[in-house]
């Protein structure tokens, strides 16, 4: 990615801060919410707090610091950043159940407003498994198979916008398939499983495409390394996602069998 060096060395620290600060605020806000919630209600899960801290740290180290700088110049580092920022951070943060924590912490009237917002038609549309997959995996196809990837490294606006999209699309994709927070209008496990398998296949095919046809101005050896990181690293995170979905399905089936069992 040598062709980007002249542009990316001039990326001001303010751009990195612009992307990092929201995660820092989210990290602090969550811990404050846990403290407030624990004063009046049952103790909040330590595991959920650890998930939130870990997820935000994954995001922060991707957008500010040595990895963030290296990502501009080396495609392999860029792909590590993609895994951390677009896949692992959203998964960990979804597992932290932030909406449930907010509903526990907010005053009743504000909690009702949040609850109604979650039932909003637009929210339901965006988090539909097919739409979430198009926004997430489709967005990656657009990024890596068009000049957009090259343009991102010479435009501060595009750089920020694409990073925001990658994280949000990754988060929406995660919550479209595994339900941790309250989910109005849930989709069936069979439907979610089928769409997830198609989306994961599209992600794997993209990594093979990158291996064969590197993005503009990316040297072949860097593209091959990045594609392998995307393929194998993506698989590792996707296995966790599949496991969680199937685990929830198993628990749901066992519960319904128990409820439907007629006493002799």
């Amino acid at each position: 990615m040598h062709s980007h060096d002249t542009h990316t060395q001039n990326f001001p620290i303010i751009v990195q801060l612009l992307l990092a600060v929201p995660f820092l605020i989210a990290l602090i806000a969550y811990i404050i919410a846990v403290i407030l919630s624990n004063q009046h209600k049952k103790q909040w899960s330590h595991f959920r707090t650890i998930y939130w801290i870990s997820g935000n740290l994954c995001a922060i180290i991707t957008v500010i610091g040595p990895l963030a700088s290296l990502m501009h110049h080396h495609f392999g580092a860029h792909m590590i950043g993609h895994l951390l920022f677009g896949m692992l951070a959203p998964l960990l943060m979804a597992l932290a159940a932030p909406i449930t924590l907010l509903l526990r912490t907010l005053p009743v009237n504000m909690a009702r407003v949040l609850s109604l917002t979650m039932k909003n038609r637009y929210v339901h549309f965006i988090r539909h498994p097919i739409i979430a997959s198009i926004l997430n995996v489709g967005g990656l196809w657009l990024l890596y198979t068009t000049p957009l990837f090259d343009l991102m490294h010479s435009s501060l606006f595009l750089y920020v916008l694409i990073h925001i999209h990658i994280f949000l699309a990754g988060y929406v994709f995660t919550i479209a398939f595994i339900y941790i927070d309250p989910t109005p209008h849930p989709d069936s496990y069979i439907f979610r499983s089928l769409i997830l398998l198609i989306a994961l296949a599209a992600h794997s095919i993209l990594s093979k495409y990158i291996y064969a046809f590197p993005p503009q101005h990316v040297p072949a050896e860097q593209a091959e390394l990045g594609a392998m990181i995307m393929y194998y690293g993506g698989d590792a995170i996707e296995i966790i996602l599949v496991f969680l979905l199937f685990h929830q399905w198993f628990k749901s089936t066992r519960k319904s069998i128990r409820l439907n069992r007629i006493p002799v």
Side-chain angles (χ1 to χ4, degrees):
M1 286 164 73
H2 50 80
S3 67
H4 301 312
D5 290 1
T6 52
H7 300 296
T8 52
Q9 280 171 353
N10 300 324
F11 265 30
I13 188 71
I14 191 75
V15 175
Q16 293 188 12
L17 284 170
L18 189 66
L19 288 167
V21 166
F23 292 102
L24 197 58
I25 292 168
L27 185 59
I28 295 163
Y30 189 97
I31 291 166
I32 291 169
V34 169
I35 293 163
L36 291 172
S37 175
N38 285 349
Q39 288 173 357
H40 309 289
K41 294 185 172 74
K42 187 182 158 191
Q43 293 293 293
W44 185 250
S45 163
H46 294 310
F47 286 111
R48 297 221 185 281
T49 308
I50 292 164
Y51 290 144
W52 187 260
I53 292 167
S54 305
N56 277 278
L57 289 178
C58 281
I60 289 165
I61 63 168
T62 309
V63 294
I64 194 165
L67 177 60
S69 301
L70 188 59
M71 279 169 64
H72 295 299
H73 311 295
H74 197 286
F75 191 70
H78 165 84
M79 207 46 85
I80 291 169
H82 158 63
L83 295 179
L84 289 174
F85 194 71
M87 296 181 77
L88 188 58
L91 175 60
L92 289 167
M93 289 168 77
L95 289 171
I99 303 298
T100 304
L101 178 62
L102 258 180
L103 289 169
R104 275 172 50 124
T105 313
L106 289 172
V108 176
N109 288 344
M110 289 176 75
R112 280 196 192 125
V113 171
L114 177 62
S115 191
L116 284 171
T117 307
M118 295 304 296
K119 293 171 185 171
N120 180 288
R121 237 184 241 174
Y122 173 75
V123 174
H124 177 57
F125 174 76
I126 288 294
R127 69 180 294 168
H128 187 277
I130 293 174
I131 302 301
S133 299
I134 291 167
L135 288 170
N136 187 32
V137 186
L140 293 175
W141 271 90
L142 190 68
L143 178 63
Y144 294 120
T145 62
T146 69
L148 196 58
F149 180 74
D150 197 47
L151 290 169
M152 177 180 83
H153 289 88
S154 54
S155 164
L156 297 182
F157 175 74
L158 265 181
Y159 180 79
V160 171
L161 192 68
I162 288 168
H163 273 75
I164 291 168
H165 173 84
I166 284 172
F167 172 76
L168 291 178
Y171 185 82
V172 170
F173 180 80
T174 306
I175 64 170
F177 293 99
I178 54 165
Y179 299 157
I180 306 295
D181 279 318
T183 308
H185 319 295
D187 291 293
S188 74
Y189 283 104
I190 290 175
F191 177 71
R192 279 184 280 154
S193 300
L194 286 172
I195 302 302
L196 181 59
L197 290 174
I198 293 166
L200 300 188
H203 191 265
S204 293
I205 292 165
L206 175 59
S207 62
K208 290 173 183 174
Y209 182 92
I210 291 168
Y211 191 96
F213 306 101
Q216 201 172 357
H217 297 126
V218 175
E221 65 276 8
Q222 285 192 27
E224 288 169 8
L225 176 63
M228 286 194 287
I229 290 167
M230 183 182 185
Y231 185 82
Y232 293 109
D235 270 4
I237 298 167
E238 286 160 1
I239 285 166
I240 299 169
L241 195 60
V242 171
F243 170 79
L244 290 167
L245 177 60
F246 280 36
H247 179 65
Q248 288 184 340
W249 192 352
F250 173 73
K251 278 197 342 188
S252 164
T253 309
R254 197 170 57 176
K255 187 180 175 183
S256 66
I257 289 169
R258 214 168 28 234
L259 289 171
N260 293 328
R261 194 177 286 152
I262 301 165
V264 179

